[in-house]
Amino acid sequence: MTDTLFTKIIDREIPADIVYEDEQCLAFRDINPKAPMHILVIPKKCIAKLTEAKQNDEPLLGHLMTVASVVASKEGYGDAFRLVVNNGAAVGQSVFHLHLHILGGRDFMWPPG
Ligand code: AMP
């Protein structure tokens, strides 16, 4: 897979407001937040989108979810946050490096639009 904007953030080639990092993933504030808390959790491994994840990526995918929960709690939104994964341009994916959106701090519609 080719490098993306998010690879450059992992490599510190472009700046980001990083709130969490470990050997497997990185979390940073979305540059165009859609909620008072809007953080992206990305794997350091380049996976373009969820449907390109393989069975052996399951521990990594689980880790991203756990990190999202920890980050939301640290931000003060542990009781109420939403995770979103856009898979494919047709549903709004614009950066083709898998990422979880963590959103919180406002009311959310259900079902989502
Ligand atoms: P998606 O549309 O699901 O692919 O989400 C991509 C997200 O990346 C959008 O919410 C963008 O606002 C966000 N984004 C794009 N560039 C940056 C950047 N340089 N730093 C932080 N977030 C970014």
Side-chain angles (χ1 to χ4, degrees), residues 5-6 28-32 40 86 92-95 99 101:
L5 184 63
F6 289 173
F28 53 92
R29 295 188 197 285
D30 196 291
I31 204 167
N32 184 18
L40 304 175
N86 292 321
Q93 185 175 6
S94 60
V95 179
H99 49 283
H101 295 258

Side-chain angles (χ1 to χ4, degrees), residues 75-90:
E75 292 284 317
Y77 296 101
D79 286 339
F81 62 91
R82 180 172 288 183
L83 295 183
V84 173
V85 177
N86 292 321
N87 187 82

Side-chain angles (χ1 to χ4, degrees), residues 7-109:
T7 315
K8 291 180 172 35
I9 289 176
I10 293 167
D11 293 341
R12 307 304 203 267
E13 290 173 17
I14 62 172
D17 186 355
I18 294 168
V19 297
Y20 177 89
E21 180 170 23
D22 64 27
E23 64 286 350
Q24 297 184 77
C25 71
L26 191 70
F28 53 92
R29 295 188 197 285
D30 196 291
I31 204 167
N32 184 18
K34 301 292 190 290
M37 174 183 65
H38 188 173
I39 291 170
L40 304 175
V41 184
I42 67 171
K44 290 185 174 175
K45 177 180 178 180
C46 293
I47 300 170
K49 56 184 180 174
L50 187 58
T51 44
E52 294 194 5
K54 308 294 183 210
Q55 197 168 7
N56 64 6
D57 292 316
E58 282 184 9
L60 174 60
L61 299 180
H63 183 65
L64 299 179
M65 298 279 282
T66 304
V67 166
S69 171
V70 168
V71 167
S73 295
K74 280 188 181 163
E75 292 284 317
Y77 296 101
D79 286 339
F81 62 91
R82 180 172 288 183
L83 295 183
V84 173
V85 177
N86 292 321
N87 187 82
V91 297
Q93 185 175 6
S94 60
V95 179
F96 285 82
H97 183 132
L98 176 66
H99 49 283
L100 275 59
H101 295 258
I102 320 172
L103 298 149
R106 65 168 171 81
D107 292 336
F108 290 93
M109 304 287 288

